[in-house]
């Protein structure tokens, strides 16, 4: 006679505790989130920023977030509406669009750090030892930006539940933010063009940022299967960008945002 153990009895159910809502919905990995938000006790109440990057079927969502005990405070957010002001209203999920979104976020945050943004209403500077706390009061909130001389704002990358793979478009956002002036710890092994034998290839990364690989694929597809070309790049064709001028808007925007760092 075999012995059957009752695992889910009254004692089990009386002690059962449900997971947090976003864990049940599969939206948040609280184990990784704890590592992103952890702050040393010796740095109590020091702002710790992170750049949250999420990719949907139609766009990239890039947010500059500061976490507090009350919750996450979104300081800046980049949406396709902002990219449209620079004539980028097509191919919003491509590698060039991801890089441009990160560069635009960095440009905005650097302006706020220097308190040159038009939305800033008042500036109060309190000098303490070797650093200055600039309290930039905007219409909605008070953002505390720590500056140490001319050092750029520091942040960490938050990609959520996405897989960490080499050449992922999410790392293009990080590359754009770094070229725009933000300080983010990174490793070149995650950029496209890296392999264990030859190492990192800046030329291939530049080709992806500019969008040459998409232009080459469009030309190839147009010659081999024109019906599929018209179906896959219908929006780009409607915007009259399905030719050599595909990367022109991205090039102009990146030169504005990244400046000398975009070569």
């Amino acid at each position: 006679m075999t012995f059957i153990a009752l695992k889910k009895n009254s004692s089990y159910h009386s002690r059962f505790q449900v997971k947090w809502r976003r864990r049940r919905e599969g939206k948040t990995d609280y184990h990784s989130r704890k590592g992103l938000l952890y702050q040393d006790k010796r740095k109590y109440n020091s702002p710790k920023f992170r750049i949250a990057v999420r990719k949907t079927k139609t766009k990239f969502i890039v947010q500059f977030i500061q976490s507090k005990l009350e919750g996450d405070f979104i300081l800046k957010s980049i949406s396709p509406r902002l990219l449209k002001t620079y004539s980028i209203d097509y191919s919003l999920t491509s590698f060039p669009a991801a890089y441009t979104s990160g560069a635009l976020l960095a440009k905005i945050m650097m302006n706020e750090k220097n308190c040159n943004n038009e939305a800033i209403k008042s500036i109060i500077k309190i000098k303490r030892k070797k650093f200055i706390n600039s309290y930039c009061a905007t219409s909605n909130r008070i953002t505390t930006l720590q500056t140490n001389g001319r050092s750029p704002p520091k942040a960490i990358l938050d990609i959520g539940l996405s897989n960490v793979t080499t050449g992922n478009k999410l790392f293009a956002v990080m590359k754009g933010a770094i070229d725009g002036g933000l300080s983010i710890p990174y490793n070149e092994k995650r950029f496209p063009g890296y392999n264990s034998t030859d190492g990192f290839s800046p030329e291939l990364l530049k080709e992806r940022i500019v969008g040459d690989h998409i232009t080459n694929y469009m030309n190839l597809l147009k010659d081999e299967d024109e019906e599929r070309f018209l179906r896959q790049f219908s929006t780009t064709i409607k915007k009259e960008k399905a030719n050599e001028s595909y990367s022109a808007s991205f090039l102009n925007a990146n030169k504005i945002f990244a400046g000398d760092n975009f070569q």
Side-chain angles (χ1 to χ4, degrees):
M1 181 177 179
T2 59
F3 177 76
I4 301 176
L6 296 177
K7 295 183 179 180
K8 294 184 178 180
N9 50 19
S10 60
S11 299
Y12 169 83
H13 290 288
S14 63
R15 293 171 173 80
F16 181 77
Q17 184 177 4
V18 298
K19 300 291 183 181
W20 291 341
R21 177 181 60 83
R22 292 185 62 86
R23 170 62 184 85
R24 299 196 307 269
E25 296 174 352
K27 293 182 178 180
T28 301
D29 182 2
Y30 283 97
H31 180 75
S32 62
R33 177 179 169 84
K34 181 179 179 181
L36 293 172
L37 304 184
Y38 176 78
Q39 184 70 292
D40 195 289
K41 289 184 178 180
R42 293 170 294 180
K43 300 179 182 179
Y44 175 75
N45 210 26
S46 297
K48 188 173 184 180
F49 305 109
R50 73 181 196 272
I51 297 178
V53 184
R54 302 293 184 268
K55 180 180 177 297
T56 66
K57 292 183 178 180
T58 58
K59 61 184 178 180
F60 278 97
I61 301 175
V62 185
Q63 297 173 336
F64 197 89
I65 300 177
Q66 178 184 358
S67 297
K68 298 181 180 180
L69 293 176
E70 298 86 350
D72 288 349
F73 289 81
I74 301 176
L75 308 184
K76 282 297 176 182
S77 179
I78 301 299
S79 63
R81 181 173 54 85
L82 292 177
L83 295 178
K84 289 180 180 179
T85 59
Y86 297 92
S87 302
I88 301 176
D89 54 354
Y90 59 95
S91 190
L92 296 176
T93 57
S94 61
F95 200 95
Y99 178 88
T100 306
S101 300
L104 176 58
L105 177 67
K107 184 71 174 180
I108 294 175
M109 294 310 302
M110 292 298 291
N111 286 341
E112 258 202 26
K113 177 199 168 185
N114 297 326
C115 295
N116 293 329
N117 198 306
E118 295 179 357
I120 295 174
K121 302 299 181 181
S122 62
I123 302 173
I124 306 173
K125 293 184 178 180
I126 304 176
K127 295 184 178 180
R128 295 178 181 177
K129 296 182 180 181
K130 296 182 180 180
F131 66 91
I132 298 175
N133 279 345
S134 300
Y135 295 91
C136 305
T138 63
S139 56
N140 306 355
R141 66 189 185 280
I142 295 180
T143 306
T144 305
L145 299 177
Q146 283 196 356
T147 63
N148 185 1
R150 294 184 178 181
S151 61
K154 295 182 180 180
I156 53 179
L157 183 67
D158 179 7
I159 61 174
L161 300 177
S162 302
N163 295 327
V164 181
T165 56
T166 300
N168 198 321
K169 295 178 183 179
L170 303 179
F171 296 110
V173 179
M174 179 187 68
K175 177 60 176 174
I178 293 172
D179 292 345
L182 298 181
S183 176
I184 305 174
Y186 72 98
N187 194 329
E188 294 178 347
K189 292 182 178 181
R190 290 307 175 188
F191 293 149
Y194 175 85
N195 55 59
S196 57
T197 57
D198 300 332
F200 175 63
S201 175
E203 293 78 11
L204 184 56
L205 177 60
K206 177 65 181 299
E207 179 183 341
R208 292 294 184 92
I209 291 174
V210 173
D212 290 342
H213 65 296
I214 300 178
T215 305
N216 297 335
Y217 178 70
M218 282 194 296
N219 296 333
L220 178 64
L221 194 63
K222 187 176 182 180
D223 296 336
E224 295 183 353
D225 192 349
E226 187 173 0
E227 182 180 353
R228 182 180 175 184
F229 167 75
L230 296 175
R231 182 176 66 254
Q232 185 169 347
F233 294 97
S234 58
T235 305
T236 309
I237 296 172
K238 189 181 299 182
K239 302 292 182 180
E240 298 181 355
K241 297 293 184 179
N243 47 36
E244 299 300 329
S245 63
Y246 173 85
S247 59
S249 300
F250 296 107
L251 278 172
N252 296 332
N254 292 334
K255 289 179 181 178
I256 296 173
F257 302 150
D260 297 336
N261 292 328
F262 180 76
Q263 301 294 336

